[in-house]
């Protein structure tokens, strides 16, 4: 007739072992093993990888001041851009200029398969080295966005995402100019690094040629670039920095500079804010200019090739 004390965890038999220290090593899958898969392989011995010294590279006061100022400016950029961009009107204009590209479905599918295979190998490397957390870096996120663009039908959502990612490819340029491959030790891991970042340019060039919703905004329209810049800085200084401080993993160099950073020092993030804002604007518009000049020429060559094929048949 005595009342036994019952733990709350006993009512959840399938999950209670996740939080019990004595039993956590008795199960193959628990919260600790999952966290080990996520960032257990991040070795702080490699410079710029992470660890306590990397997290303390700049003082907490400087980190807080930089973050507050940049987050406020980024929110202003996003709000101002959203007020200026008329998505419905621009989508209507893009549809009028669009063409029916059923004949390009094969090329699109082949590019989708190639990008998926490349990214799949990269994901496999991340699981093999227990550094899955690095898939949150912007270049990997942009790769997933491009896979979505190749898989989804053209529409208003595709137009918005396409125009945003065009102005987010500056990271791919920096990755190719200043590669950080000192932690890539597995066979073919470095080669996949270069292949993936090169393919980030191949997808928009292909989609530029299709036109329609994949047509870039006019050169005089800077608001898409401003919106992309604001989103990128919010992603870095809110999400990546917050997650990096908790895990002590240097996600996209938010805790300490990369070994190849030409602005290495305590103010490297201030320098990065300036040159990345400028690079985002210039790089995105350079791709836009390239699309305006090369897309019609490529379209003309392909049409001429199809015409010659029909004549031969």
């Amino acid at each position: 007739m005595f009342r036994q004390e019952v733990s709350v965890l006993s009512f959840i038999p399938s999950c209670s072992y996740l939080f019990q220290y004595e039993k956590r090593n008795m199960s193959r899958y628990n919260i600790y093993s999952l966290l080990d898969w996520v960032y257990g392989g991040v070795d702080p011995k490699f410079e710029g990888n992470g660890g306590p010294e990397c997290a303390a590279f700049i003082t907490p006061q400087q980190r807080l001041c930089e973050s507050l100022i940049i987050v406020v400016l980024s929110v202003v950029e996003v709000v101002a851009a959203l007020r200026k961009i008329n998505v419905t009107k621009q989508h209507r204009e893009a549809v009028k200029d669009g063409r029916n590209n059923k004949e390009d479905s094969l090329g699109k599918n082949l590019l989708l398969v190639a990008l998926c295979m490349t990214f799949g190998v990269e994901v496999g490397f991340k699981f093999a080295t227990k550094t899955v957390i690095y898939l949150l870096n912007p270049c990997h996120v942009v790769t997933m966005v491009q896979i979505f663009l190749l898989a989804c039908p053209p529409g208003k959502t595709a137009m918005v995402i396409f125009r945003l990612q065009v102005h987010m490819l500056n990271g791919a340029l920096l990755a190719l100019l200043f590669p950080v491959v000192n932690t890539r030790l597995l066979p073919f891991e470095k080669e996949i690094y270069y292949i993936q970042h090169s393919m980030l340019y191949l997808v928009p060039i292909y989609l530029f040629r299709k036109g329609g919703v994949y047509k870039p905004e006019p050169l005089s329209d800077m608001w898409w670039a401003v919106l992309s810049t604001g989103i990128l800085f919010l992603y870095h200084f809110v999400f990546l920095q917050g997650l990096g401080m908790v895990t002590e993993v240097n996600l996209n160099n938010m805790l300490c500079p990369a070994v190849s950073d030409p602005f290495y020092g305590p103010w490297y993030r201030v320098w990065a804010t300036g040159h990345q804002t400028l690079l985002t604007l210039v790089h995105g518009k350079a791709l836009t200019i390239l699309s305006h000049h090369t897309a019609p020429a490529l379209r003309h060559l392909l049409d001429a090739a199809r015409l010659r094929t029909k004549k031969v048949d």
Side-chain angles (χ1 to χ4, degrees):
M1 299 293 292
F2 292 97
R3 193 174 185 179
Q4 296 181 354
E5 294 184 1
V6 181
S7 172
V8 175
L9 293 177
S10 63
F11 292 100
I12 318 176
S14 62
C15 300
S16 59
Y17 69 91
L18 295 178
F19 306 96
Q20 295 178 8
Y21 180 81
E22 295 81 0
K23 296 182 180 180
R24 73 185 185 186
N25 292 323
M26 297 174 61
S27 174
R28 185 177 178 182
Y29 301 105
N30 54 47
I31 191 66
Y32 301 99
S33 63
L34 291 177
L35 290 178
D36 184 54
W37 277 107
V38 173
Y39 65 95
V42 178
D43 190 353
K45 294 180 181 179
F46 288 96
E47 187 178 358
N49 228 18
E53 293 184 1
C54 180
F57 186 82
I58 58 178
T59 63
Q61 295 81 3
Q62 179 183 345
R63 186 180 299 277
L64 180 61
C65 290
E66 289 177 359
S67 301
L68 287 176
I69 293 173
I70 294 173
V71 166
V72 170
L73 291 176
S74 300
V75 171
V76 172
E77 288 177 339
V78 171
V79 172
L82 289 176
R83 289 182 176 180
K84 293 292 184 178
I85 296 174
N86 190 335
V87 176
T88 304
K89 179 181 178 182
Q90 295 188 23
H91 177 256
R92 194 183 304 117
E93 294 174 352
V95 170
K96 289 181 180 178
D97 297 335
R99 306 185 308 142
N100 187 8
N101 288 301
K102 291 183 179 180
E103 66 273 8
D104 294 336
S105 59
L106 178 60
K108 188 176 181 181
N109 290 335
L110 290 176
L111 185 57
L112 175 60
V113 170
L115 186 59
C116 287
M117 290 181 63
T118 303
F119 187 62
V121 173
E122 178 66 17
V123 172
F125 282 135
K126 292 294 182 284
F127 274 99
T129 56
K130 295 184 179 181
T131 55
V132 180
I133 194 171
Y134 285 137
L135 293 178
L136 296 174
N137 279 340
C139 285
H140 295 310
V141 176
V142 173
T143 300
M144 289 184 275
V145 168
Q146 291 187 350
I147 290 174
F148 170 79
L149 285 174
L150 291 173
C152 77
K156 186 183 297 185
T157 302
M159 184 196 75
V160 173
I161 295 177
F162 176 76
R163 292 188 177 184
L164 288 175
Q165 63 89 34
V166 166
H167 297 285
M168 295 180 178
L169 295 176
N170 54 306
L173 178 63
L174 292 176
L176 293 172
L177 293 178
F178 306 101
V180 181
V181 292
N182 60 320
T183 60
R184 292 178 174 260
L185 307 177
L186 296 179
F188 202 59
E189 195 174 6
K190 291 183 180 180
E191 288 77 4
I192 283 293
Y193 174 90
Y194 291 106
I195 292 173
Q196 180 188 354
H197 288 90
S198 299
M199 290 194 70
L200 289 176
Y201 283 104
L202 185 60
V203 173
I205 291 175
Y206 172 81
L207 293 178
F208 276 144
R209 185 184 62 82
K210 294 178 71 68
V213 297
Y214 305 114
K215 182 180 179 181
E217 73 277 5
L219 284 174
S220 58
D221 186 358
M222 304 296 294
W223 291 111
W224 287 99
V226 172
L227 179 59
S228 298
T229 304
I231 293 174
L232 280 174
F233 281 128
L234 286 175
Y235 183 73
H236 278 78
F237 281 86
V238 176
F239 180 69
L240 291 184
Q241 180 176 228
L243 187 59
M245 292 300 296
V246 172
T247 60
E248 292 187 345
V249 177
N250 191 25
L251 293 171
N252 213 43
N253 306 311
M254 287 306 300
L255 300 187
C256 60
V259 293
S260 56
D261 194 337
F263 298 95
Y264 192 97
W267 300 101
Y268 80 100
R269 303 204 310 177
V270 177
W271 283 105
T273 303
H275 65 65
Q276 285 309 295
T277 300
L278 180 61
L279 182 60
T280 301
L281 298 174
V282 174
H283 184 266
K285 289 304 177 182
L287 288 177
T288 303
I289 294 174
L290 181 67
S291 71
H292 284 306
H293 287 82
T294 59
L298 288 173
R299 195 174 300 153
H300 176 73
L301 290 175
L302 288 174
D303 291 340
R306 293 191 190 99
L307 184 60
R308 289 181 181 178
T309 304
K310 290 180 179 179
K311 286 183 178 180
V312 170
D313 295 339

